[in-house]
């Protein structure tokens, strides 16, 4: 009851107390207000009358050729968007170079042409792969096809016509993982450069009908001029939001509405090798598996232009783009990785919410998945169902051990064979999302998720919303409840007296008696209040997840924790000719505490951001905090009935006064070279005493005094003994473009922590990633990637040849290799000199997009 009262009080506080500057990381590049406005706090940008009213897009009969040159007679009929404003670094001033955009349509396609005047030898453009065009000269446009000021397609192109496409969601920013089928071509000429684009309406989700309007804006980046951002409409930084400030297009009355069926069959042939345990070989032997064939199919059917049904039958998700390596040493909580699989990206913005109650990567290996997404009137919806083969797909070794256990049970009926009831079983997922718009920029939504597996059931349901209180203030919130039937790790348990219940716990949860099979209920909440102006802003946010909150279909970092955070920003106006173009200073303070009312962290932080000439950006950051940790967060809590069996050695609570300093700089020197660097240190950072693998055994005083570093095999290993130390972090990233088709990037990240009580290194992580891509053409490339992790002494490499003319149609030939160098065997943990291979895979993957309209 106390927790519920605290939650209501915090929620009311966050709604009614004025708070926050906009989170700049989620918005488009800063674009100051119009030069026609006054300097008063209530000033408005004046939009010219010809741009304030909807622009009618003409319908054409003759069709242009998409060759990058909008010089055909038919383009003279197009609507023209010109007289762009420089909105960054300028202050809605005149653009450095003129830009014109032409637009027209026929029954099936939207045609857009961009004409960008510039000096030919200064244009920055390379032959890049899809979605890598915003680091050089480019144009982009936003199509708010529902005209709801909440979601828009953002489509970008570089001077060679390379495409970048995604979805911009108000309050969340742009997601460029979405790909749509369209045609584009760009050319560079003596006067500048131009691009022609042809977009099938069946590639878009939109509201159709006579007199319907779409939200629209278009912009151009000139990279060498401090990333100059020019857009068709002026901008007002004193208005929170982005799509609300866009214009309108109309006249798209004669679009031919079609039902479209897309079928993408795929086949993958792969041959893998793995190191397996073997009695005759101390560190295991390498076994090559037979050639494996995977056949799958993805289907998409547009029931109406605004409702889409997706299906995937045994979809093949071959590892084309691997996750970037991250520091995992000393990590208490899970690490989030972005979704990259096409099936889950369609309509993914509908399934996002502040608490991340749905995380599609929890569905690891679906053999069947269905999804219905769309928007009808003011109601957006998403329904997803999937059967995941991964949880019950155990290895051959595990299945062999199960068979041996079942044989022994013939003579010992009480024997429990661990994974027996889970082998071959699928996890079932269900997701329901509904969101209703009201007013100009408000919405309220409902979210529900379900995950079921033998002896495991999880159901989540709750509400969320976004409210625009005024042009400068906005709030978001979400409240959900969960009920779960599963094994709960009860670190403060008392022994179960009921023998039948105790046996049930052991059968389902294993031998660790603090895992209890039961029903657990929980809740989570989040709310914020955001206020922003051009030169200042502030915000407050609060949230939390109760002890038994579970979101098995979502992503959760921490439970039994609440937080309250507030911060404010002051900024200078943009000065395009000054050494410091723009400066911003942010200060914030936060409190984390558990549901027992104990503080977990109290912190204050400050950071300054500087935008300088020649594409140079500098950030300085620092702060102080007091962090507390408790042994029940890591394992068993000591109780009167077991005073010596806690998760910690020594005190059951640890606290530290901490401070940190950091700085980073990013600089683009020219078309060919860009560099970013980061350095920081944390005073009194906690080492949680997990150890860093065989190379970095635990460095705590308890572990050392027990003699475990000298004799790890024979010592009586003590409980965890967390302690403080000095942490050092450094990062360096370099991107080179030696020639227009060739890109090379090198990233180095170092993190090191030295314990103060023993002067021993708790971990020293050095991660190096080298990536090279050569584009033979817009669609044909070869890529190599090499990742090295010093803690595991592991090398992960990939060589990939690819041909990808459009989303859905692709052909890949790849080789992945994983090995250790002077590392430790994953089977025995013993040191292995020189190279030792762990896994390798050779694969060929082909898919083709069949598209038919009715």
């Amino acid at each position: 009851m106390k927790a519920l009262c605290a939650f209501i009080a915090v929620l009311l506080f966050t709604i009614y107390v004025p708070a926050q500057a906009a989170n700049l990381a989620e918005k488009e590049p800063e674009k100051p207000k119009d030069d026609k406005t006054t300097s008063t706090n209530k000033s408005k940008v004046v939009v010219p009358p010809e741009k304030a009213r909807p622009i009618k897009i003409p319908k054409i009969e003759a069709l242009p050729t998409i060759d990058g040159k909008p010089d055909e007679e038919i383009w003279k009929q197009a609507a023209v968007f010109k007289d762009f404003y420089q909105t960054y670094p300028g202050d809605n001033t005149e653009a450095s170079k003129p830009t014109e955009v032409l637009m027209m349509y026929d029954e099936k396609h939207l045609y857009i042409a961009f004409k960008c005047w510039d000096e030919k030898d200064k244009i920055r453009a390379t032959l890049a792969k899809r979605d890598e065009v915003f680091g050089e000269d480019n144009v982009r446009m936003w199509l708010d096809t529902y005209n709801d000021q909440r979601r828009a397609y953002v489509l970008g192109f570089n001077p060679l016509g390379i495409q970048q496409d995604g979805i911009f969601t108000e309050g969340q920013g742009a997601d460029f993982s979405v790909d749509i089928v369209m045609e584009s071509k760009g050319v560079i000429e003596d006067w500048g450069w131009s691009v022609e684009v042809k977009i099938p309406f069946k590639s878009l989700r939109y509201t159709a009908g006579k007199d319907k309007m779409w939200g629209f804006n278009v912009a151009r980046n000139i990279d060498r001029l401090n990333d100059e951002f020019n857009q068709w409409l002026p901008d007002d930084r004193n208005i929170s939001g982005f799509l609300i400030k866009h214009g309108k297009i109309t006249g798209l009355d004669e679009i031919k509405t079609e039902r479209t069926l897309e079928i993408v069959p795929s086949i993958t042939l792969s041959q893998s090798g793995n190191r397996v345990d073997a009695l005759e070989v101390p560190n295991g032997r390498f076994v090559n598996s037979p050639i494996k064939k995977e056949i799958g199919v993805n289907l998409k059917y547009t029931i109406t232009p605004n409702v889409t049904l997706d299906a995937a039958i045994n979809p093949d998700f071959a590892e084309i783009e691997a996750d970037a390596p991250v520091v995992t040493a000393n990590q208490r909580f899970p690490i989030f990785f972005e979704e990259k699989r096409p099936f889950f990206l369609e309509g993914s913005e509908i399934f996002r919410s502040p608490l991340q109650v749905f995380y599609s990567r929890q569905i690891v290996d679906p053999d069947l998945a269905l999804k219905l997404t769309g928007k009808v009137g003011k109601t957006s919806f998403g329904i997803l169902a999937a059967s995941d083969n991964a949880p019950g797909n155990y290895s051959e070794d595990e299945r062999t051990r199960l068979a041996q256990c079942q044989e022994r049970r013939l003579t010992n009926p009480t024997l429990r064979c661990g994974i027996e009831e889970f082998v071959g079983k699928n996890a079932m997922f269900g997701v329901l999302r509904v969101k209703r718009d009201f007013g100009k920029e408000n919405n309220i939504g409902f979210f529900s998720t379900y995950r079921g597996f033998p002896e495991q059931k999880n159901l989540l349901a709750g509400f969320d919303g976004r409210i625009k209180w005024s042009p400068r203030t906005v709030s978001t919130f979400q409240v959900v409840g969960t009920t779960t039937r599963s094994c709960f790790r009860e670190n403060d348990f008392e022994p179960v007296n009921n023998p039948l219940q105790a046996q049930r716990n052991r059968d389902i949860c294993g031998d660790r008696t603090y895992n209890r099979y039961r029903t657990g209920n929980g809740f989570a909440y989040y709310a914020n209040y955001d206020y922003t102006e051009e030169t200042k802003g502030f915000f407050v946010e609060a949230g939390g997840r109760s002890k038994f909150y579970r979101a098995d279909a979502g992503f959760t970092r921490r439970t039994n924790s609440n937080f309250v955070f507030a911060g404010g920003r002051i900024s200078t106006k943009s000065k395009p000719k000054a050494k410091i173009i723009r400066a911003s200073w942010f200060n914030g303070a936060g409190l984390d505490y558990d549901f027992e009312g104990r503080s977990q962290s109290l912190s204050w932080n400050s950071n300054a951001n500087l935008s300088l000439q020649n594409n140079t950006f500098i950030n300085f950051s620092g702060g102080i905090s007091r962090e507390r940790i408790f042994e029940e967060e890591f394992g068993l809590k000591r109780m009167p009935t077991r005073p010596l069996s806690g998760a910690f050695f020594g005190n059951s609570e640890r606290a530290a006064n901490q401070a940190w300093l950091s700085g980073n700089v990013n600089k683009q020197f020219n078309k060919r070279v860009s560099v970013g660097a980061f350095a920081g240190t944390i005073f009194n950072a906690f080492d949680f005493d997990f150890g860093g693998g065989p190379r970095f055994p635990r460095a705590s005083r308890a572990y050392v005094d027990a003699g475990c570093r000298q004799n790890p095999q024979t010592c009586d290993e003590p409980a965890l003994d967390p302690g403080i130390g000095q942490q050092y972090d450094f990062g360096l990233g370099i991107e080179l473009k030696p020639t227009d088709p060739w890109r090379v990037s090198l990233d180095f990240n170092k993190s090191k922590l030295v314990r103060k009580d023993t002067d021993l290194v708790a971990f020293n992580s050095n991660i190096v990633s080298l990536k090279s891509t050569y584009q033979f053409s817009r669609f044909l490339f070869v890529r190599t990637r090499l990742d090295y992790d010093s803690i595991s002494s592991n090398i992960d490499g990939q060589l990939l040849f690819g041909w990808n003319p459009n989303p859905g149609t692709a052909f890949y030939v790849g080789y992945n290799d994983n090995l250790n160098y002077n590392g430790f065997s994953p089977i025995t943990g013993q040191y292995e000199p020189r190279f030792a291979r762990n896994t390798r895979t050779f694969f060929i993957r082909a898919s083709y997009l069949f598209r038919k309209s009715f």
Side-chain angles (χ1 to χ4, degrees):
M1 187 65 184
K2 290 181 179 179
L4 181 60
C5 292
F7 159 65
I8 294 172
V10 169
L11 183 61
L12 292 174
F13 177 77
T14 58
I15 292 178
Y16 291 108
V17 175
Q20 164 170 356
N23 184 341
L24 298 179
E26 291 187 347
K27 293 184 171 65
E28 291 295 310
E30 298 178 349
K31 314 172 198 61
K33 59 184 181 179
D34 184 53
D35 58 344
K36 299 179 182 178
T37 64
T38 67
S39 60
T40 63
N41 194 41
K42 297 182 179 180
S43 64
K44 285 187 176 181
V45 168
V46 178
V47 179
E50 67 273 14
K51 296 186 178 184
R53 56 176 172 262
I55 306 299
K56 186 173 182 178
I57 307 303
K59 182 176 181 291
I60 58 171
E61 300 299 331
L63 305 182
T65 301
I66 305 302
D67 58 6
K69 300 179 179 181
D71 52 6
E72 298 167 275
E73 191 69 22
I74 190 65
W75 282 109
K76 294 181 179 179
Q77 300 180 31
V80 180
F81 303 83
K82 60 182 180 178
D83 299 327
F84 281 43
Y85 296 82
Q86 182 187 144
T87 57
Y88 180 83
D91 191 11
N92 283 337
T93 56
E94 183 180 359
S96 299
K97 305 291 181 181
T99 305
E100 285 188 3
V101 177
L102 313 175
M103 183 179 292
M104 54 193 183
Y105 83 104
D106 63 21
E107 289 183 340
K108 296 184 177 182
H109 302 92
L110 184 67
Y111 300 91
I112 307 100
F114 303 86
K115 300 172 71 175
C116 305
W117 281 264
D118 207 344
E119 300 164 68
K120 181 179 181 180
D121 59 343
K122 294 183 179 180
I123 296 170
R124 294 184 177 180
T126 58
L127 195 61
K129 75 170 188 176
R130 190 187 192 99
D131 289 342
E132 290 190 358
V133 306
F134 285 176
E136 51 195 26
D137 289 353
N138 66 85
V139 288
R140 69 189 82 171
M141 65 178 176
W142 293 264
L143 294 173
D144 180 0
T145 54
Y146 291 119
N147 191 32
D148 59 8
Q149 300 168 348
R150 292 161 174 83
R151 167 195 177 278
Y153 290 96
V154 52
L155 309 176
F157 310 89
N158 81 348
L160 301 179
I162 308 298
Q163 302 169 5
Q164 182 148 5
D165 45 3
I167 300 292
F168 181 92
T169 305
E170 195 66 73
Q172 298 177 7
D175 175 12
F176 292 108
S177 59
V178 178
D179 292 330
I180 70 170
V181 177
M182 56 183 170
E183 183 181 351
S184 62
K185 185 72 180 293
V187 295
I188 297 175
E189 302 191 88
D190 291 338
W191 58 268
W193 57 280
S194 58
V195 174
E196 286 183 308
V197 183
K198 177 181 178 181
I199 305 173
F201 287 115
K202 62 186 177 183
S203 292
L204 306 174
R205 304 295 165 256
Y206 59 92
T207 300
K210 188 173 179 59
D211 297 326
K212 294 292 184 181
M213 291 192 293
W214 290 3
F216 176 78
N217 199 7
V218 64
R220 173 188 178 185
N221 264 126
I222 306 177
D223 189 55
R224 70 182 185 279
L225 302 179
N226 291 313
D227 199 28
E228 180 177 320
F229 193 85
N230 303 323
Q231 64 176 24
W232 175 59
L233 286 169
D235 185 57
D236 189 347
R237 287 191 193 174
N238 289 313
I239 293 179
S240 177
F242 184 65
L243 299 180
I244 187 68
K245 294 176 279 189
H246 286 190
K248 307 291 181 185
I249 57 175
T250 187
L252 304 173
D253 299 336
E254 298 182 49
I255 299 175
K256 183 178 180 180
T257 302
E258 298 177 310
R259 291 186 174 91
T260 302
L261 175 64
E262 296 182 5
I263 303 176
V264 183
S266 65
I267 181 170
T268 299
L269 300 176
S270 63
Q271 195 279 319
S272 299
N274 297 274
R275 191 181 343 186
V276 298
D277 195 1
L279 295 177
E280 68 278 9
V281 182
N283 289 318
R285 60 189 177 90
F286 199 83
V287 176
N288 290 312
S289 302
I291 294 177
K292 182 181 178 181
K293 179 174 66 176
E294 289 283 348
I295 298 177
V297 60
N298 282 13
L299 301 99
K300 180 185 297 184
Y301 181 61
T302 53
I303 301 172
T304 67
N306 54 332
V307 179
T308 303
L309 175 66
D310 290 89
I313 303 171
N314 192 31
D316 172 33
F317 298 133
E319 188 180 275
I320 304 302
E321 185 73 42
D323 293 316
V326 296
V327 177
T328 57
N330 209 42
Q331 291 286 339
R332 292 178 61 190
F333 306 115
I335 298 172
F336 183 87
F337 291 97
E338 295 290 343
E339 180 61 84
K340 300 176 181 178
R341 300 171 293 179
F343 172 82
F344 293 107
L345 296 176
E346 171 73 27
S348 60
E349 71 280 358
I350 296 173
F351 295 97
R352 293 197 185 98
S353 69
L355 289 171
Q356 294 181 300
V357 297
F358 177 61
Y359 178 45
S360 57
R361 289 188 63 150
Q362 296 285 14
I363 307 172
V364 179
D365 183 21
D367 48 20
L368 176 64
L370 296 170
K371 181 169 58 175
L372 183 70
T373 57
K375 185 166 187 177
V376 178
K378 295 184 177 183
T379 303
S380 303
F381 62 89
I383 304 171
L384 184 147
S387 172
D388 186 7
N389 183 56
N393 188 17
Y394 290 86
S395 68
E396 289 299 322
D397 287 345
E398 290 171 312
R399 292 171 184 263
T400 299
R401 288 194 291 271
L402 173 61
Q404 293 170 347
C405 176
Q406 290 171 331
E407 288 182 11
R408 293 195 301 272
R409 194 169 56 191
L410 296 176
T411 58
N412 182 7
T414 63
L415 184 65
R416 179 180 180 274
C417 299
I419 63 174
E420 184 173 25
E421 60 186 307
F422 307 118
V423 171
K425 301 295 176 58
N426 281 21
M428 306 303 296
F429 286 81
V431 183
L432 172 63
R433 174 64 159 152
V434 181
K435 191 159 58 174
R436 176 74 176 180
D437 298 338
F438 65 95
K440 277 191 174 182
E441 299 177 76
N442 310 316
N443 61 66
I444 187 78
F446 173 78
F447 220 135
S448 181
T449 69
Y450 170 81
R451 181 187 185 273
F453 192 61
E455 310 295 353
Q456 300 174 26
K457 301 291 185 290
N458 173 253
L459 177 65
L460 175 149
F463 296 90
D464 65 296
R466 183 175 188 270
I467 300 174
K468 189 76 172 287
W469 303 103
S470 73
R472 302 179 185 181
T473 55
V474 63
S475 291
T476 60
F477 70 90
Q478 186 168 22
V479 182
V480 299
T482 67
T483 183
T484 308
R485 185 68 176 171
S486 186
C487 294
F488 283 83
R489 181 170 175 169
E490 297 188 12
N491 297 328
D492 55 354
F493 85 103
E494 289 292 347
V496 178
N497 295 321
N498 186 328
L500 294 177
Q501 182 62 46
Q503 182 62 44
R504 177 71 165 164
N505 287 340
R506 287 193 294 272
D507 288 345
I508 298 175
C509 305
D511 294 332
R512 291 195 287 182
T513 54
Y514 51 84
N515 279 351
R516 182 171 297 181
Y517 182 70
R518 65 173 182 80
T519 299
N521 299 317
F523 72 93
Y525 66 97
Y526 174 83
N528 75 0
Y529 189 90
D530 183 301
Y531 177 91
T532 187
E533 293 183 22
E534 179 187 3
T535 58
K536 62 184 177 182
F538 52 93
F539 73 95
V540 64
E541 63 180 353
R545 296 174 175 87
S546 66
K547 184 175 182 179
F548 297 121
Y549 169 83
R550 298 290 185 274
D552 290 353
F555 180 82
T556 303
R557 279 183 56 82
R558 191 177 191 179
T559 58
N560 192 25
S561 183
N562 304 272
F563 71 89
V564 178
F565 185 84
R569 166 190 59 88
I570 57 173
S571 305
T572 65
K573 291 180 176 290
S574 292
K575 300 176 182 178
K577 303 301 182 181
K579 290 184 178 180
I580 300 178
I581 298 173
R582 184 173 171 86
S584 178
W585 185 30
F586 174 85
N587 286 273
L591 170 66
D592 295 355
Y593 59 97
D594 64 21
F595 277 78
E596 286 75 46
R598 300 176 299 182
S599 67
Q600 296 168 323
S601 175
L602 178 64
S603 63
W604 168 83
N605 69 85
S606 179
N607 69 75
N609 291 280
L610 304 175
S611 299
L612 311 179
Q613 295 290 334
N614 302 316
N615 286 344
T616 305
F617 304 91
I618 298 176
N619 169 269
F620 298 101
S621 181
I624 56 175
S625 70
R626 179 170 177 79
E627 183 178 4
R628 298 170 69 196
I629 58 176
F630 308 93
E631 70 175 353
E632 60 265 35
E633 298 179 278
F634 295 79
L636 282 175
K637 176 182 179 181
R638 275 169 279 190
M639 305 288 287
T641 55
R642 49 172 201 282
L644 301 179
S645 58
F648 283 178
F649 179 91
N651 296 332
S652 62
E653 176 186 330
R654 311 292 165 94
N657 296 321
Q658 301 171 335
W660 65 90
L661 293 170
S662 68
N664 67 281
V665 59
N666 292 277
K667 167 74 173 176
Q668 184 166 350
F669 290 92
N670 49 48
K671 173 182 176 180
R672 304 293 183 191
V673 182
S674 60
V675 177
F678 167 84
T681 186
I682 304 175
F683 302 89
N684 294 338
F686 265 118
D687 165 38
F688 301 119
D689 202 22
F690 300 148
R695 192 170 299 280
F696 295 99
R698 292 167 56 188
S700 63
R701 173 56 60 191
Y703 194 78
V704 171
D705 290 347
C708 294
R709 289 181 70 92
Q710 294 78 18
N711 302 292
Q713 305 300 327
T714 60
C715 78
D716 186 10
E717 187 169 330
L720 297 176
D721 184 20
I724 59 174
Q726 188 76 22
Q727 182 169 325
Y728 306 92
D729 298 288
F730 175 77
L732 178 66
I734 302 173
E735 184 178 48
L736 305 175
K737 301 175 183 177
T739 63
D740 286 353
W742 186 22
R743 294 187 179 203
V744 181
S745 64
L746 174 67
D747 292 289
F748 170 70
N749 289 282
K750 180 182 184 66
S751 186
K752 178 180 179 180
L753 192 151
V754 181
R755 291 270 302 217
K756 287 189 174 182
D757 54 357
T758 61
D759 290 327
L760 295 173
V761 176
F763 64 88
N764 186 7
S765 173
N766 297 282
I767 295 178
V768 182
S769 296
L770 177 65
K771 185 177 178 181
S772 173
T773 303
Y774 191 91
Q775 295 281 154
F776 297 99
S777 69
R778 289 179 56 186
F779 311 125
L780 189 67
F781 69 90
V782 62
R783 184 177 72 217
T784 57
R785 177 169 179 165
L786 199 65
D787 298 314
Y788 173 73
D789 186 341
S790 67
I791 287 185
S792 59
S793 297
N794 184 259
I795 301 172
D796 217 344
Q798 182 184 68
L799 174 64
L800 181 70
F801 170 85
W803 175 69
N804 188 198
N806 61 57
T809 299
F811 178 77
Y812 297 104
V813 178
Y815 176 75
N816 298 331
D817 208 341
N818 182 281
L819 44 86
N820 296 338
Y821 177 69
N822 290 336
F824 297 84
S825 167
I827 295 174
T828 65
Q830 298 297 313
Y831 175 77
E832 294 178 310
R834 298 180 296 277
F835 289 98
R837 176 171 282 115
N838 299 317
T839 63
R840 64 148 186 80
T841 301
F842 175 82
F843 66 89
I844 300 174
R845 182 182 187 274
S847 63
Y848 189 82
L849 170 63
F850 294 92
R851 209 177 200 201
K852 178 67 175 177
S853 298
F854 306 93

